[in-house]
């Protein structure tokens, strides 16, 4: 197993801390709840993509790339952090974004994309396959003009990118006490790369742990298949000899709400509960929905309350500022 032989470039402030959440644990009837603070990775206000980008951008450097291309939604955390990574490493960046909200509203992640001077190509009707196709066409055109583009798929969810979360589990293994190593690990699942890396990582470094992914994007069958493919690719890269089947991935899809990118009532309630019990800032698109799954499963007594639960905080706080009306009705002001 040769994880340390794969090139990476330093972009994240690591290790991130693992914090106690005793008030939220008591609220949910859990013996212990820990938060892995990957919202504090540092790059462009932090988030899980920094770990993936350390490997992906090292590969871009190895290929002498001078322009980075990637795709995502108009409030993509991945796009925001990729733009920052490109600028940090002296490269240009082109973002292919789709979906609501209207791009004339420069807020949240989109505002940060503009601050990083990303070249933004926006199509409100485009789905991920159409955005990828547009990215590849642009890459071909750039090559014809003498540029060296490097394309990163949605979410950075490739076998190489997922190694960031194989390394993250090794990091966690060094932080946990013996009694916490048989933990339940909760994480949001969007494009599948993070859970792919986590699953391979626990097989190698935390074999008594279990990962529960909470889908925020699609039905679990599609995500299980994609995660298995990515994890197997990661396994091959480091010669671990591990092979996964789709059913090896425990992903639940009951908590994503109406659809990807649209806040849910349960997710918003989870954002409020985390903030008001622990001062913990979640977002309504990823971590809020993932926490809503943890909350619902704990309250339904679907979890072994004697096991330590670890919530991977994957970041995304800029999305809180994309819709100023989301929690506006809760404001309490008085004049003095």
């Amino acid at each position: 197993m040769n994880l340390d032989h794969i090139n990476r470039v330093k972009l994240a402030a690591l290790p991130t801390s693992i914090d106690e959440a005793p008030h939220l644990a008591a609220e949910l009837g859990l013996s212990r709840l820990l938060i892995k603070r990957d919202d504090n990775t540092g790059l462009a206000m932090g988030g899980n993509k920094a770990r993936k980008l350390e490997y992906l951008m090292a590969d871009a450097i190895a290929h002498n790339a001078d322009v980075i291309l990637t795709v995502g939604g108009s409030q993509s955390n991945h796009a925001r952090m990729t733009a920052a990574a490109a600028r940090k490493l002296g490269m240009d960046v082109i973002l292919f974004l789709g979906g609501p909200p209207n791009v004339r509203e420069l807020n949240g992640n989109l505002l940060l994309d503009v601050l990083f001077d990303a070249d933004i190509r926006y199509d409100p009707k485009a789905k991920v396959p159409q955005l990828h196709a547009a990215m590849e066409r642009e890459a071909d055109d750039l090559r014809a003009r003498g540029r060296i583009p490097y394309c990163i798929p949605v979410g950075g969810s490739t076998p190489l990118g997922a190694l960031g979360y194989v390394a993250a589990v090794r990091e966690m293994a060094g932080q946990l006490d013996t009694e916490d190593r048989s933990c339940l690990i909760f994480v949001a699942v969007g494009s599948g790369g993070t859970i792919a890396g986590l699953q391979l990582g626990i097989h190698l470094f935390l074999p008594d742990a279990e990962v529960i992914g909470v889908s925020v994007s699609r039905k679990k069958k599609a995500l299980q298949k994609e995660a298995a493919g990515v994890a197997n690719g990661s396994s091959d890269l480091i010669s671990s000899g591990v092979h996964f089947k789709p059913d090896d991935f425990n992903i639940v899809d009951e908590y994503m709400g109406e659809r990807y990118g649209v806040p849910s009532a349960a997710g918003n309630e989870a954002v409020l509960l985390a903030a008001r019990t622990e001062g913990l800032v979640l977002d309504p698109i990823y971590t809020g929905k993932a926490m809503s799954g943890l909350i619902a499963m704990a309250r339904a007594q679907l979890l072994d309350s004697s096991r330590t639960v670890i919530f991977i905080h994957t970041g995304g706080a800029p999305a809180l500022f994309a819709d100023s009306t989301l929690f506006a009705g809760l404001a309490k002001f008085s004049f003095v």
Side-chain angles (χ1 to χ4, degrees):
M1 199 272 289
N2 54 4
L3 178 60
D4 291 329
H5 295 166
I6 306 296
N7 289 336
R8 64 194 290 191
V9 60
K10 181 173 173 54
L11 293 171
L14 303 176
T16 58
S17 65
I18 296 180
D19 296 349
E20 296 273 0
H23 306 296
L24 185 52
E27 178 78 19
L28 301 180
L30 299 174
S31 61
R32 195 174 194 200
L33 175 61
L34 303 175
I35 313 295
K36 178 61 170 168
R37 297 299 304 270
D38 272 15
D39 56 320
N40 291 336
T41 53
L43 178 69
M45 299 185 71
N48 63 322
K49 306 304 181 183
R51 292 187 186 269
K52 298 180 182 182
L53 286 164
E54 288 198 330
Y55 289 92
L56 293 166
M57 297 303 288
D59 192 48
I61 292 170
H63 284 85
N64 298 312
D66 58 9
V67 55
I68 304 297
L69 292 74
T70 197
V71 308
S74 59
Q75 282 294 329
S76 168
N77 295 305
H78 165 69
R80 176 246 307 173
M81 298 188 74
T82 299
R87 290 310 186 193
K88 184 176 179 66
L89 297 172
M91 302 177 189
D92 290 331
V93 59
I94 305 175
L95 305 177
F96 293 82
L97 307 180
N102 192 313
V103 297
R104 289 176 294 182
E105 300 173 3
L106 291 181
N107 48 31
N109 284 301
L110 187 59
L111 173 59
L112 294 171
D113 296 339
V114 171
L115 291 181
F116 297 133
D117 196 26
D119 182 348
I120 300 171
R121 314 288 177 87
Y122 177 65
D123 183 346
K125 297 180 180 179
K127 304 296 184 182
V128 169
Q130 289 77 37
L131 294 172
H132 274 130
M135 176 175 70
E136 294 296 342
R137 288 193 298 271
E138 179 64 22
D140 288 341
D141 184 61
L142 288 165
R143 292 185 192 99
R145 292 188 278 125
R147 301 294 300 274
I148 306 176
Y150 186 88
C151 295
I152 299 177
V154 63
S157 294
T158 69
L160 184 62
L163 291 180
Y165 271 87
V166 179
V169 178
R170 182 173 64 180
E171 177 182 297
M172 291 169 59
Q175 295 173 302
L176 294 174
D177 296 332
T178 301
E179 59 269 25
D180 295 321
R181 294 172 69 88
S182 60
C183 53
L184 296 171
I185 300 173
F186 273 78
V187 68
V189 182
S191 53
T194 299
I195 194 172
L198 287 172
Q199 192 72 34
L200 179 56
I202 66 165
H203 186 93
L204 298 173
F205 304 114
L206 277 177
D208 295 325
E210 178 185 351
V211 178
I212 300 174
V214 181
S215 173
V216 301
S217 61
R218 283 169 290 162
K219 292 297 184 179
K220 67 180 182 180
K221 290 295 184 183
L223 288 171
Q224 287 172 317
K225 183 178 179 180
E226 289 190 19
V230 172
N232 288 331
S234 298
S235 177
D236 291 342
L237 285 174
I238 60 173
S239 303
S240 75
V242 181
H243 182 80
F244 296 100
K245 304 183 299 297
D247 288 347
D248 292 329
F249 290 82
N250 185 358
I251 298 175
V252 294
D253 56 14
E254 300 96 323
Y255 308 104
M256 66 176 147
E258 176 186 342
R259 60 184 172 88
Y260 171 72
V262 176
S264 67
N268 293 346
E269 290 170 7
V271 170
L272 290 174
L273 185 60
R276 294 176 176 185
T277 56
E278 298 291 346
L280 183 68
V281 179
L282 304 179
D283 79 280
I285 304 303
Y286 287 92
T287 53
K289 290 183 179 181
M291 182 62 80
S292 77
L294 191 164
I295 290 169
M297 293 177 74
R299 286 178 170 167
Q301 298 184 332
L302 298 176
L303 306 177
D304 181 350
S305 62
S306 67
R307 295 177 72 178
T308 296
V309 174
I310 301 179
F311 181 80
I312 308 290
H313 192 329
T314 52
L320 272 173
F321 306 99
D323 185 351
S324 60
T325 66
L326 202 57
F327 298 102
L330 302 174
K332 298 176 182 178
F333 294 102
S334 59
F335 293 93
V336 295

